[in-house]
Amino acid sequence: MKEGPDIAHTAALIGDPARANMLTALMSGKALTVSELAEEAGVTIQTASSHLSKLEAGGLLRPRKQGRHKYFSLANDDVAHVLEGLMGLAAGAGHLRKRTGPKDAELREARVCYNHLAGDMGTQMFDSLMAQGHIVLEDEDLKLTASGVAFAADFEIDLGALQKARAPLCRECLDWSERRSHLAGSLGRALLTRFEELAWAKRDQKTRVVSFSHTGAKAFHRMFPKDLA
Amino acid sequence: MKEGPDIAHTAALIGDPARANMLTALMSGKALTVSELAEEAGVTIQTASSHLSKLEAGGLLRPRKQGRHKYFSLANDDVAHVLEGLMGLAAGAGHLRKRTGPKDAELREARVCYNHLAGDMGTQMFDSLMAQGHIVLEDEDLKLTASGVAFAADFEIDLGALQKARAPLCRECLDWSERRSHLAGSLGRALLTRFEELAWAKRDQKTRVVSFSHTGAKAFHRMFPKDLA
DNA sequence: CAAATGCTTCGACTAGGGTCGAAGTATGAA
DNA sequence: TTCATACTTCGACCCTAGTCGAAGCATTTG
C-alpha cells in the first residue's frame, strides 16, 4: 500500500523548530559550527549536537571536520530547493514569524538562498540572463549557451573550474517571496561571489540580506537590464 | 533573529507518518473522503479527522463538503511540488519504503503526480512539447506558444475554459524518480484527462500507476516523439 | 419520525522525542 | 604535560502530540 519514498521521516527532520532554525541559518550558504548552530537555534550545544547528527543521517547536511571544529552545510541544492518550497507554503498559509518586520523589505529585495542570489534582484538577474540568451532551458535543465560562455569569460568567471565539480552548472530555484525562478547551481554561486569580489554587494551573515552599494547596483542593472524590448 | 516563514510548522505537519500517508494518497489528484484517508493511513476515523483538520488549518488541504461526505484534496500545485521534492530527498537518502518492489518499475514509467502525468513518460512529454516549440520558458514561467495553442485545439482541449480559472495554465514540476521536469498546471491536467477520455491510458486509484494501452502508447509516442533531430 | 451513515469533539492514556546537566573524548595551545 | 576548547555520549526528566473509545452532530434514507 505504501509505495514511494519515506517522506514522513525527512519532513519530520525539518519539522522540529530547533532543526528548522538551523536549516534556515544554513540557507545563507555558509558552513557553520555546532556551537554557532546551537546559538542560532536557541538550544544548548548538547541538544544541537543531537539534532545535527540526525540531520546528517537523514542526508540533509554535509559535515566537514576541521581541527576541533565540525562545520555543517546543506547537503546539496535539492535540500535548499525543498526548504524554499516549504517557505513558500508557510508564507502562503500566513505563518510568518514576524509580519512586515524591518528586515522584511530588504529580504525581498535581495538575499542569499543557500549560496546564490535570491529575491527581487535574483529573479531579475535570471530573467535577464534568459532574455539575453545566455542560458536556455534544454531537455531537463538549464544550459549555458555560447553567448553565456562568452559572458562568463568577460565577467572573469573560471567556467573550467566550475565544470570540474560534478554539481550542475545552472539550476533553477523557486523563490518564496517572488514565486519566480532564480539562478542556482555553481554558476549562480560564482556570480554572487564575483559581486562580492567586485565590492558590488556585501552579505550580512545573520540575516541573509544582500546589500548592494550604490555603484554596485548601477553596474548590476546595467549588466542585467530589466527590459530589452 | 528568526526571519522568514515558519517552515517548522508546515514541515511538522507533513512529518507525521499518518499525515504523510494521506498526503501521498492525495498525490493521485483525486479528492478522498475522511474514511478513505483513514484507511489509507491505517488509523481510525477519529484520528484521521483530527489530522485532516490540522492539515487544512495549515493550508495544505482544500476541503469540499458534499452531502454527508467531506472530500479533501491538495490545496494547490505548490503543495504537490514540495511533496515531490521531499520524495526526491528521501529517495536520495535511501529511505525507500520498499526497494525495487514490483510496482516500482511501473511507477517510474508513468504515474499520476497530483493530477498530471509524471514519470518517464511525463518528462518525455514535457521535453517533446518544449522541443516542438509548443511551450517556452518566458520570464518567470512556462508560456504556451501560438503553435501550442494550435496543438491544444487540434487535440480538442478547451483552452478558454482552462484560462478562466486563475490557476496557471502551464507549470513545471520536478519528478522525484526522473529528477527532471514534467508538465503541471491546468494544461497538464487536461492532457491527462484527454488521454483517459481517448482510452489511451487508465489510472489505478490505489497505486498512482498510469497504464497505457498498446495503441495508446503508440499514439502517445507518435504525438510526443523522443528525438526530432 | 426513527434508523443509519459520515464525521467531529471530548477525554484519557501512552510513547516517543526534545531538553539539559554531567561526564567522556578529541584536538589544539601553552 | 597540563590546560582549554569543541564536540559527543549518557542518563534522567518532562511534555507534547498521536492514538482510540465513547458520546455528540449533521445529513440522508426508510
Side-chain angles (χ1 to χ4, degrees):
Chain A
M1 189 178 319
K2 330 278 188 222
E3 76 281 355
D6 182 10
I7 179 182
H9 179 248
T10 305
L13 282 177
I14 309 174
D16 176 76
R19 288 193 291 258
N21 282 337
M22 297 180 183
L23 290 169
T24 305
L26 289 171
M27 288 284 282
S28 71
K30 264 184 70 78
L32 299 175
T33 67
V34 178
S35 357
E36 288 168 329
L37 288 165
E39 165 108 5
E40 199 70 39
V43 294
T44 63
I45 300 184
Q46 308 94 292
T47 306
S49 176
S50 147
H51 283 311
L52 289 167
S53 41
K54 283 172 195 171
L55 288 172
E56 180 185 343
L60 297 180
L61 295 186
R62 191 165 58 90
R64 260 169 304 178
K65 274 195 158 173
Q66 228 167 87
R68 54 181 167 183
H69 296 275
K70 190 168 181 184
Y71 287 94
F72 283 95
S73 52
L74 297 186
N76 52 55
D77 287 15
D78 292 330
V79 176
H81 190 248
V82 166
L83 291 177
E84 281 270 327
L86 278 169
M87 288 184 186
L89 288 188
H95 283 274
L96 290 171
R97 296 226 172 200
K98 42 170 162 179
R99 312 180 63 97
T100 65
K103 294 273 173 49
D104 220 32
E106 289 181 292
L107 274 175
R108 281 168 202 279
E109 173 76 17
R111 69 174 179 280
V112 166
C113 166
Y114 188 28
N115 52 25
H116 50 267
L117 187 64
D120 185 47
M121 294 185 75
T123 58
Q124 197 175 314
M125 181 173 81
F126 181 80
D127 295 349
S128 184
L129 284 169
M130 291 286 290
Q132 294 179 53
H134 292 336
I135 51 177
V136 291
L137 190 60
E138 185 180 289
D139 280 343
E140 68 273 26
D141 39 27
L142 291 173
K143 288 264 163 73
L144 200 63
T145 63
S147 87
V149 171
F151 163 81
D154 203 46
F155 202 42
E156 296 181 20
I157 286 177
D158 184 2
L159 283 178
L162 297 185
Q163 281 165 335
K164 257 178 218 157
R166 69 228 165 287
L169 195 61
C170 299
R171 281 205 53 162
E172 276 182 284
C173 185
L174 192 63
D175 208 291
W176 65 261
S177 61
E178 298 294 313
R179 298 204 150 221
R180 296 165 56 182
S181 288
H182 57 246
L183 183 66
S186 54
L187 180 61
R189 176 172 61 244
L191 281 169
L192 178 57
T193 307
R194 197 80 186 94
F195 295 155
E196 292 183 277
E197 283 174 6
L198 294 171
W200 287 10
K202 235 171 43 183
R203 52 164 124 172
D204 186 306
Q205 312 284 27
K206 296 272 174 199
T207 60
R208 295 175 56 198
V209 168
V210 174
S211 46
F212 276 75
S213 70
H214 184 68
T215 58
K218 265 177 57 179
F220 179 92
H221 287 116
R222 202 177 315 118
M223 181 167 270
F224 306 108
K226 204 168 243 169
D227 42 81
L228 32 97
Chain B
M1 188 180 318
K2 331 276 190 223
E3 77 282 353
D6 181 12
I7 180 181
H9 179 248
T10 305
L13 282 176
I14 311 176
D16 176 76
R19 287 194 291 258
N21 283 336
M22 297 178 183
L23 291 169
T24 304
L26 289 171
M27 288 284 282
S28 71
K30 265 182 72 76
L32 299 174
T33 67
V34 177
S35 356
E36 287 168 330
L37 288 165
E39 165 107 6
E40 199 69 38
V43 294
T44 64
I45 300 184
Q46 308 95 294
T47 306
S49 176
S50 148
H51 283 311
L52 289 168
S53 42
K54 284 173 193 170
L55 288 171
E56 181 186 342
L60 297 180
L61 295 187
R62 191 165 57 91
R64 261 169 301 178
K65 273 195 160 175
Q66 230 166 87
R68 56 183 166 184
H69 295 274
K70 191 168 180 184
Y71 287 94
F72 283 95
S73 52
L74 297 186
N76 52 54
D77 287 17
D78 292 330
V79 176
H81 189 248
V82 167
L83 291 177
E84 282 269 328
L86 279 169
M87 287 184 187
L89 288 187
H95 283 274
L96 290 172
R97 297 227 171 200
K98 43 169 163 179
R99 311 181 64 96
T100 64
K103 294 273 174 49
D104 221 33
E106 289 180 291
L107 274 175
R108 282 169 201 280
E109 172 76 17
R111 69 176 179 280
V112 167
C113 165
Y114 189 28
N115 53 24
H116 49 269
L117 188 63
D120 183 49
M121 293 184 76
T123 57
Q124 196 174 316
M125 180 173 83
F126 181 81
D127 294 349
S128 185
L129 284 169
M130 291 286 290
Q132 294 178 52
H134 292 335
I135 52 177
V136 291
L137 191 62
E138 184 178 289
D139 279 343
E140 68 275 25
D141 39 26
L142 291 172
K143 287 263 163 76
L144 199 63
T145 63
S147 86
V149 172
F151 162 81
D154 203 47
F155 201 42
E156 296 181 20
I157 286 176
D158 184 1
L159 284 177
L162 296 184
Q163 280 165 333
K164 257 177 219 159
R166 68 228 166 288
L169 194 61
C170 299
R171 280 204 53 162
E172 275 182 286
C173 184
L174 192 63
D175 208 293
W176 65 261
S177 60
E178 298 294 314
R179 297 203 152 220
R180 296 165 56 181
S181 288
H182 57 245
L183 183 66
S186 55
L187 180 60
R189 178 173 59 245
L191 281 168
L192 178 56
T193 308
R194 197 82 186 93
F195 295 156
E196 293 183 276
E197 284 174 5
L198 294 171
W200 286 10
K202 235 170 45 180
R203 51 164 126 172
D204 186 306
Q205 311 285 28
K206 296 273 174 200
T207 60
R208 295 175 55 198
V209 168
V210 174
S211 46
F212 275 76
S213 70
H214 183 69
T215 59
K218 263 176 58 179
F220 180 92
H221 287 115
R222 204 177 313 119
M223 181 167 267
F224 306 109
K226 204 167 244 168
D227 43 80
L228 32 95

